[in-house]
C-alpha cells in the first residue's frame, strides 16, 4: 500500500481560476477529498473561488451553460454530492480565507474556507472561545451549514443555532446579501441546517465568542465481550468510540480484522471550565462504575488538562492521508422516546459488526432540542450515532459499503432521521430525513423564491427521502414516538 499523502487543505494549482477537464490541476482538484473513492463524475468546469465576485461569476457561467452547481469545501462529505457530472464545481478552499476579531463587539468574522484548526489558533490569540468542530482539517463552510456539532454541544447547542449572528451569501442571481435575525431572515433560516441542499454560497460568517477557559478530559477504555443523564450539560462533552485497537497498528496493512482481535469501547468525557476541581465535579457522575461494567474496564485515566491542539493531533492522520484509503459514513439521530433496550437492539449491528480493521463507530451525546422557528436545523439530536467504514484496498467492492447501509436501514424504526452531511445523493438505501416535515416544506418554499430554476440540485435528495419515509408510514412499517 502506498503511503504517499494525497489530500491537503492547502493545495497548490497553476494559477488559473477556471480548471478544465484533461488538465492535471483539474484532476488534482476533482480528487482533493479525504476519501480516495472519488466517483467517475466529471464537472464541465471547476472554478477556484477566492471572493464573492468569483462566486457570482461561477453562478453566471452555470446559468449560461444551462447546467447545475456543486460546492466543494474540505470534501469531508464522503459520498461527494458536490461532484456533478457536466456541472460546475465551485471550489471554496481559498474563499475569504481570513479571520478577523472585533475587540468591541467580541465577534469574529471568517470565510467558509477557514479550517477548524485555523479558527482555534485565532481564538487562542485573542483568548476567546467559539465552538468550532473537532476535526482540524474540516472547513467552517460545510460544518456550519450542516448545523455544526461543535465543542460542548450538549449545553450550548449546535454552533449555527446559537453562536452564528449573521452571514454573507451569494444567491443564484449573483446578489451578495447579508442574512441575520433581522435582515433577509428567511435566507438566514434556510442556510443554517440545510447542508449540501442550500441554494446559495455562504462567503462569510460572523460568530459571537465568550471568554476562553480550559479543557479537561477524563477517559475510560472497556473491552466489549445510564450514567450520562447525571452529567451536567453546560460545557461538557460525552463521546463513545468503538474500534479495533489494531486499527492504527503499523504491522497491519490490509482490511482484514486480525485473528482474535476484540473491539474496544472508549468513553471520553471533556469539560470546559477554569479549574481541575470544577472539572472533577462536572465529571463526577462517573466516579462509581457498576461492578459488571468494571469487569470490562481495561484502562481509566484521571481528569487532566487537554488542549485543542492535542485533540487535533489525534485526528489529523485519520482521513485522507494515504493514496488508497476509502471511507463511507452512515449515521442516525435516535428517537428520544424510543426505550433504550429497543434502541440498543436496533443499532447493535451498526455498532459492532464492523466489516474492516479500519472501521469504527462513534456516538455523541448531543441533547439538542432545535428551535425550528429559528433555523432549518430542525430534528432533535439526542444521540448522534455514526459508523465510518474504511478500506485500504485499491478496488473496494460495492458490497462493502452496502454492508453498513443495510445495518443503518434496519435502524429506521428507532430514528428521527440523520445528520444532513451523511445523506447520500447517489444511493438512497440508508437515507433518512434530514429536516422535519414542516421545516422541509418551509425550506422548499424559500428555495423557490431564490432559485426557481434549480441551479443547486442536491435538495432533491431531501425530497426523495421524505417521500420514501411517507410511503413507509403508509405501509405501516414504522414507528414509535416521533420516529420516521
Amino acid at each position: 500500500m502506498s503511503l504517499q499523502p494525497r489530500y491537503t487543505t492547502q493545495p497548490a494549482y497553476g494559477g488559473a481560476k477556471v480548471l478544465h477537464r484533461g488538465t492535471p490541476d483539474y484532476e488534482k482538484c476533482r480528487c482533493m477529498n479525504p476519501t480516495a473513492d472519488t466517483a467517475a463524475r466529471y464537472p464541465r468546469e471547476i472554478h477556484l473561488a477566492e471572493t464573492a465576485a468569483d462566486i457570482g461569476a461561477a453562478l453566471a457561467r452555470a446559468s449560461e451553460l444551462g447546467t447545475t452547481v456543486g460546492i466543494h469545501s474540505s470534501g469531508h462529505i464522503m459520498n461527494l454530492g458536490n461532484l456533478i457530472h457536466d456541472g460546475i464545481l465551485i471550489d471554496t478552499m481559498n474563499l475569504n480565507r481570513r479571520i478577523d476579531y472585533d475587540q468591541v463587539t467580541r465577534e469574529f468574522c471568517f470565510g467558509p474556507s477557514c479550517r477548524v484548526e485555523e479558527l482555534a489558533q485565532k481564538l487562542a490569540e485573542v483568548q476567546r472561545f467559539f465552538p468550532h468542530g473537532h476535526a482540524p482539517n474540516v472547513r467552517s463552510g460545510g460544518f456550519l451549514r450542516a448545523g455544526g456539532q461543535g465543542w460542548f454541544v450538549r449545553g450550548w447547542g449546535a454552533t449555527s443555532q446559537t453562536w452564528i449572528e449573521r452571514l454573507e451569501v451569494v444567491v443564484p442571481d449573483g446578489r451578495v446579501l447579508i442574512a441575520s435575525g433581522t435582515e433577509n431572515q428567511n435566507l438566514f433560516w434556510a442556510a443554517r441546517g440545510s447542508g449540501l441542499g442550500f441554494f446559495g454560497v455562504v462567503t462569510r460568517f460572523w460568530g459571537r465568542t465568550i471568554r476562553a477557559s480550559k479543557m479537561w478530559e477524563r477517559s475510560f477504555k472497556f473491552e466489549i465481550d445510564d450514567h450520562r443523564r447525571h452529567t451536567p450539560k453546560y460545557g461538557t462533552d460525552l463521546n463513545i468510540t468503538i474500534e479495533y485497537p489494531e486499527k492504527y497498528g503499523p504491522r497491519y496493512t490490509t482490511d482484514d480484522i486480525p485473528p482474535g482481535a476484540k473491539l474496544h469501547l472508549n468513553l471520553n468525557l471533556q469539560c470546559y471550565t477554569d479549574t481541575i476541581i470544577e472539572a472533577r465535579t462536572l465529571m463526577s457522575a462517573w466516579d462509581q462504575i457498576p461492578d459488571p461494567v468494571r469487569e470490562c474496564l481495561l484502562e481509566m485515566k484521571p481528569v487532566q488538562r487537554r488542549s485543542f491542539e492535542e485533540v487535533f493531533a489525534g485526528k489529523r492522520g485519520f482521513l485522507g492521508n494515504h493514496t488508497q484509503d476509502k471511507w463511507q459514513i452512515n449515521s442516525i439521530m435516535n428517537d428520544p422516546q424510543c426505550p433504550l433496550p429497543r434502541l440498543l437492539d436496533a443499532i447493535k449491528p451498526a455498532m459492532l459488526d464492523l466489516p474492516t480493521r479500519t472501521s469504527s463507530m462513534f456516538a455523541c451525546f448531543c441533547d439538542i432540542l432545535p428551535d425550528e422557528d429559528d433555523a432549518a436545523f430542525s430534528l432533535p439530536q439526542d444521540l448522534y450515532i455514526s459508523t465510518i467504514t474504511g478500506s485500504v484496498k485499491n478496488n473496494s467492492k460495492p458490497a462493502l459499503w452496502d454492508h453498513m447501509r443495510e445495518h443503518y436501514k434496519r435502524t429506521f424504526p428507532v430514528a428521527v432521521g440523520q445528520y444532513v452531511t451523511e445523506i447520500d445523493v447517489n444511493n438512497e438505501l440508508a437515507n433518512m430525513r434530514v429536516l422535519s416535515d414542516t421545516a422541509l416544506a418551509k425550506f422548499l418554499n424559500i428555495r423557490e423564491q431564490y432559485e426557481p430554476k434549480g441551479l443547486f440540485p442536491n435538495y432533491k435528495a431531501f425530497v426523495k427521502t421524505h417521500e420514501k419515509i411517507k410511503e413507509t408510514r403508509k405501509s405501516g412499517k414504522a414507528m414509535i414516538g416521533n420516529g420516521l
Side-chain angles (χ1 to χ4, degrees):
M1 180 182 73
S2 170
L3 294 181
Q4 291 297 315
R6 51 158 298 278
Y7 172 74
T8 175
T9 59
Q10 294 181 307
Y13 300 111
K17 278 201 168 185
V18 179
L19 306 180
H20 297 276
R21 186 174 179 180
T23 63
D25 277 351
Y26 170 97
E27 189 61 13
K28 178 181 177 180
C29 186
R30 190 185 75 89
C31 296
M32 191 56 64
N33 310 296
T35 177
D37 199 22
T38 303
R41 298 192 297 273
Y42 299 88
R44 191 175 303 187
E45 295 175 356
I46 299 177
H47 288 240
L48 305 178
E50 297 181 9
T51 65
D54 293 339
I55 297 294
L59 297 179
R61 178 60 171 162
S63 295
E64 175 189 343
L65 295 174
T67 189
T68 54
V69 172
I71 308 299
H72 178 255
S73 184
S74 58
H76 282 70
I77 298 178
M78 300 306 165
N79 58 68
L80 305 181
N82 53 14
L83 205 59
I84 301 171
H85 190 70
D86 283 337
I88 294 292
L89 177 62
I90 300 178
D91 184 288
T92 65
M93 281 200 173
N94 290 306
L95 176 58
N96 286 335
R97 193 162 184 170
R98 58 176 293 172
I99 305 169
D100 297 309
Y101 177 69
D102 189 318
Q103 294 282 357
V104 176
T105 65
R106 294 181 176 177
E107 290 182 339
F108 78 141
C109 175
F110 51 94
S113 61
C114 295
R115 294 172 292 166
V116 160
E117 61 186 346
E118 292 170 340
L119 298 180
Q121 181 179 3
K122 180 64 176 182
L123 288 162
E125 291 174 5
V126 297
Q127 297 184 340
R128 303 294 290 177
F129 173 82
F130 171 87
H132 47 66
H134 297 74
N137 53 13
V138 167
R139 297 181 187 273
S140 59
F143 169 71
L144 289 170
R145 284 189 298 109
Q149 295 171 333
W151 284 98
F152 315 115
V153 68
R154 297 181 64 229
W156 289 339
T159 305
S160 69
Q161 176 190 16
T162 55
W163 294 80
I164 294 300
E165 301 290 329
R166 61 191 186 279
L167 312 168
E168 180 183 80
V169 185
V170 181
V171 293
D173 63 10
R175 288 178 295 157
V176 181
L177 303 177
I178 298 297
S180 69
T182 58
E183 187 176 4
N184 296 306
Q185 295 99 322
N186 58 356
L187 194 62
F188 189 57
W189 182 93
R192 293 172 299 134
S194 59
L196 75 171
F198 185 54
F199 45 81
V201 182
V202 179
T203 51
R204 285 194 293 175
F205 298 89
W206 284 264
R208 68 180 182 91
T209 65
I210 62 173
R211 177 184 64 85
S213 188
K214 300 172 184 176
M215 180 161 61
W216 307 87
E217 182 179 75
R218 184 181 190 184
S219 62
F220 302 80
K221 181 180 291 186
F222 300 89
E223 183 177 276
I224 295 180
D225 225 3
D226 170 27
H227 286 330
R228 59 118 169 188
R229 295 301 183 191
H230 303 291
T231 299
K233 287 185 178 182
Y234 190 83
T236 61
D237 273 345
L238 291 86
N239 300 311
I240 289 173
T241 58
I242 297 176
E243 59 193 10
Y244 289 103
E246 295 86 357
K247 178 177 181 176
Y248 301 108
R251 294 192 301 124
Y252 304 99
T253 58
T254 71
D255 284 345
D256 297 334
I257 298 167
K262 292 186 178 181
L263 288 169
H264 285 180
L265 183 151
N266 302 288
L267 172 64
N268 283 82
L269 299 90
Q270 287 151 334
C271 68
Y272 201 62
T273 190
D274 290 339
T275 70
I276 192 169
I277 295 175
E278 293 169 336
R280 287 170 177 162
T281 301
L282 285 170
M283 296 188 282
S284 63
W286 297 85
D287 287 347
Q288 302 300 321
I289 301 175
D291 289 339
V293 178
R294 186 174 291 275
E295 291 176 2
C296 300
L297 182 64
L298 297 175
E299 181 182 73
M300 177 173 62
K301 293 183 180 179
V303 176
Q304 55 189 306
R305 276 291 305 275
R306 292 297 302 272
S307 67
F308 291 115
E309 291 75 13
E310 288 173 317
V311 175
F312 293 160
K315 297 177 179 291
R316 196 175 304 280
F318 179 40
L319 296 177
N321 207 34
H322 305 126
T323 301
Q324 296 172 200
D325 292 358
K326 301 177 182 180
W327 304 96
Q328 172 182 277
I329 304 178
N330 298 101
S331 73
I332 65 166
M333 275 95 71
N334 69 300
D335 181 343
Q337 297 186 27
C338 175
L340 183 59
R342 183 174 180 183
L343 172 65
L344 292 175
D345 184 63
I347 66 174
K348 186 175 180 179
M351 296 174 70
L352 303 182
D353 185 18
L354 304 181
T356 66
R357 172 184 57 85
T358 55
S359 299
S360 59
M361 175 270 178
F362 174 76
C364 174
F365 296 85
C366 296
D367 296 315
I368 298 175
L369 291 175
D371 181 359
E372 187 175 312
D373 292 333
D374 178 65
F377 184 79
S378 52
L379 293 178
Q381 293 192 12
D382 182 52
L383 274 167
Y384 165 76
I385 300 166
S386 68
T387 304
I388 302 178
T389 307
S391 175
V392 298
K393 290 182 178 178
N394 276 318
N395 298 304
S396 301
K397 296 180 180 179
L400 175 64
W401 312 122
D402 285 342
H403 175 90
M404 198 54 66
R405 289 185 182 120
E406 289 288 350
H407 282 332
Y408 272 85
K409 181 181 178 182
R410 288 195 285 270
T411 68
F412 282 11
V414 300
V416 292
Q418 69 184 137
Y419 197 48
V420 67
T421 57
E422 272 86 76
I423 191 169
D424 192 339
V425 301
N426 307 300
N427 190 306
E428 179 62 27
L429 183 62
N431 284 352
M432 286 173 270
R433 294 188 305 168
V434 295
L435 306 175
S436 71
D437 290 341
T438 50
L440 178 62
K442 181 176 179 178
F443 175 81
L444 294 176
N445 181 58
I446 297 172
R447 188 204 66 81
E448 185 69 21
Q449 298 172 36
Y450 284 93
E451 63 135 6
K453 296 182 180 179
L455 196 63
F456 296 84
N458 282 328
Y459 77 94
K460 295 178 182 177
F462 300 178
V463 177
K464 182 178 181 180
T465 296
H466 276 246
E467 290 299 321
K468 176 185 73 176
I469 299 307
K470 288 180 182 178
E471 290 302 315
T472 301
R473 288 171 174 163
K474 289 179 182 178
S475 65
K477 292 180 181 178
M479 309 272 334
I480 56 174
N482 294 326
L484 295 175

